[in-house]
């Protein structure tokens, strides 16, 4: 009887070990697969502008005598594609930096009202060009412990999107509020909205609802992934509520006092 007990215990142990080994392998395979997917997405995204540049340059070269206006038009397109490529590379570098476990926040006390004003001032020319009104509703003065550069990037991405995916004569309203624990930053727009079934997916790297529109507006497809990373690094949360054709609201909730 004793023998059987021992062997059945040994059996159980072996079974437990092999099942945890199997779990680890599955986990590693998943990590490897998502890494492969990411690399393949990156390659594809980086190739797209290059391919356009190739086509534009080849057609220019194949044309012989080119009127100066046409030449300028092609050059403008090439220049836009170069900007797009640079944006993808910059965004990728930001993401990769944040992914490293040693990525650290440079926390200081920041007046968020001033920060939001600065961001809106920088984006106002883009909004004006698209005839979108930018409104800042500051419910109270808020000072918080944050990484100013990273948070600024996160908010800029949200406001830029709210401008890009808007309608002509639309508006974007940024609201800043706080309680004793958190600050709340809301970016609301009167734009095209996001279909319910993809609302979870838009935070994924390179996911876009409308590829053509994102391309046209020079998006890298990485903006929301960066924003979410920054928010999580601050131990905060990001929430989206949106209705197609009516607009979207992104809300950040971030602790006022950062505790490492
Ligand atoms: P992109 O560079 O394409 O803007 P993002 O990661 O910033 O990449 O956003 C991912 C996608 O989410 C966008 O392509 C767009 O389809 C959708 N999106 C983001 N913000 C908004 C918004 N305010 N209104 C409607 N759609 C949005």
């Amino acid at each position: 009887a004793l023998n059987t007990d021992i062997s059945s215990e040994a059996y159980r142990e072996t079974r437990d070990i092999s099942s945890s080994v199997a779990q680890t392998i599955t986990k590693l395979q998943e990590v490897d697969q998502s890494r492969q997917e990411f690399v393949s997405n990156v390659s594809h995204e980086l190739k797209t502008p290059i391919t356009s540049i190739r086509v534009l340059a080849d057609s220019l070269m194949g044309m012989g005598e080119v009127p100066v206006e046409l030449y300028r038009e092609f050059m403008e397109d090439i220049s836009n594609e170069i900007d797009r490529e640079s944006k993808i590379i910059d965004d990728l570098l930001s993401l990769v930096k944040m992914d490293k476990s040693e990525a650290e926040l440079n926390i200081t006390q920041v007046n968020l009202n001033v920060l939001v004003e600065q961001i809106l001032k920088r984006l106002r020319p883009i909004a004006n060009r698209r005839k979108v009104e930018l409104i800042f509703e500051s419910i109270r003065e808020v000072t918080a412990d944050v990484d100013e550069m990273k948070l600024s990037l996160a908010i800029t991405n949200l406001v830029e999107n709210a401008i890009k995916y808007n309608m002509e004569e639309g508006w974007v309203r940024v609201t800043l509020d706080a309680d004793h624990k958190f600050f709340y930053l809301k970016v609301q727009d009167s734009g095209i909205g996001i279909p319910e079934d993809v609302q979870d997916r838009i935070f994924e790297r390179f996911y876009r609802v409308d590829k053509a529109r994102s391309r046209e507006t020079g998006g890298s497809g990485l903006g929301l992934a960066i924003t979410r990373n920054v928010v999580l690094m601050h131990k905060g949360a990001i929430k989206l509520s949106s209705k197609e054709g009516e607009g979207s609201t992104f809300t950040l909730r971030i602790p006022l006092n950062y505790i490492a």
Side-chain angles (χ1 to χ4, degrees):
L2 194 66
N3 261 349
T4 355
D5 275 357
I6 290 171
S7 67
S8 72
E9 192 171 312
Y11 165 73
R12 248 199 315 275
E13 235 167 64
T14 316
R15 192 196 51 196
D16 288 352
I17 291 170
S18 56
S19 107
S20 89
V21 167
Q23 274 173 22
T24 310
I25 291 175
T26 315
K27 189 100 207 144
L28 282 175
Q29 280 169 340
E30 276 167 15
V31 169
D32 192 48
Q33 197 191 340
S34 87
R35 199 183 59 93
Q36 277 176 21
E37 252 167 52
F38 180 61
V39 170
S40 121
N41 281 340
V42 167
S43 321
H44 173 77
E45 297 290 336
L46 288 176
K47 263 193 194 155
T48 318
I50 301 276
T51 308
S52 305
I53 293 170
R54 172 91 268 158
V55 170
L56 288 160
D58 280 351
S59 16
L60 254 191
M61 287 188 296
M63 272 191 236
E65 265 313 275
V66 186
V68 72
E69 302 81 51
L70 192 65
Y71 179 82
R72 196 165 288 145
E73 214 176 283
F74 270 69
M75 277 310 181
E76 239 165 60
D77 289 346
I78 289 179
S79 166
N80 286 338
E81 294 297 335
I82 292 172
D83 286 347
R84 218 173 123 228
E85 185 84 2
S86 309
K87 168 111 175 86
I88 298 173
I89 293 170
D90 286 346
D91 284 357
L92 268 173
L93 288 177
S94 306
L95 263 181
V96 168
K97 252 199 255 162
M98 280 189 264
D99 269 354
K100 289 200 184 142
S101 46
E102 71 264 29
E104 282 196 357
L105 291 175
N106 178 16
I107 300 281
T108 55
Q109 271 225 336
V110 177
N111 180 323
L112 295 182
N113 302 69
V114 173
L115 184 70
V116 173
E117 297 274 12
Q118 281 170 353
I119 293 170
L120 295 187
K121 187 173 168 200
R122 229 180 316 118
L123 294 178
R124 200 146 267 137
I126 305 174
N128 288 343
R129 234 176 289 144
R130 294 176 166 265
K131 298 199 167 64
V132 169
E133 190 189 358
L134 282 186
I135 307 154
F136 180 30
E137 196 176 323
S138 158
I139 302 201
R140 65 191 80 236
E141 283 285 314
V142 183
T143 309
D145 299 337
V146 293
D147 183 317
E148 182 164 9
M149 290 254 281
K150 291 202 175 70
L151 186 69
S152 172
L153 188 62
I155 300 172
T156 301
N157 287 341
L158 291 180
V159 180
E160 251 173 7
N161 280 347
I163 298 168
K164 276 181 352 191
Y165 303 105
N166 218 312
M167 324 267 193
E168 192 142 309
E169 313 268 305
W171 50 263
V172 174
R173 176 182 288 115
V174 181
T175 313
L176 179 63
D177 196 4
D179 55 25
H180 61 291
K181 255 187 149 163
F182 298 99
F183 72 84
Y184 303 86
L185 189 118
K186 200 159 80 173
V187 180
Q188 194 180 3
D189 68 58
S190 61
I192 59 177
I194 299 160
E196 186 141 11
D197 55 323
V198 299
Q199 286 183 9
D200 287 339
R201 301 207 56 196
I202 60 163
F203 295 98
E204 289 171 19
R205 295 163 184 203
F206 298 122
Y207 185 83
R208 299 149 169 126
V209 181
D210 179 350
K211 275 201 186 294
R213 180 151 186 159
S214 161
R215 208 185 120 81
E216 198 185 294
T217 51
S220 69
L222 295 171
L224 286 179
I226 291 175
T227 297
R228 190 181 56 172
N229 259 13
V230 170
V231 172
L232 295 182
M233 285 175 89
H234 283 85
K235 301 179 204 285
I238 182 164
K239 205 184 75 187
L240 160 66
S241 84
S242 178
K243 211 163 185 189
E244 245 186 307
E246 287 181 21
S248 311
T249 305
F250 288 85
T251 311
L252 308 187
R253 191 198 70 183
I254 294 179
L256 291 168
N257 300 302
Y258 181 81
I259 299 157

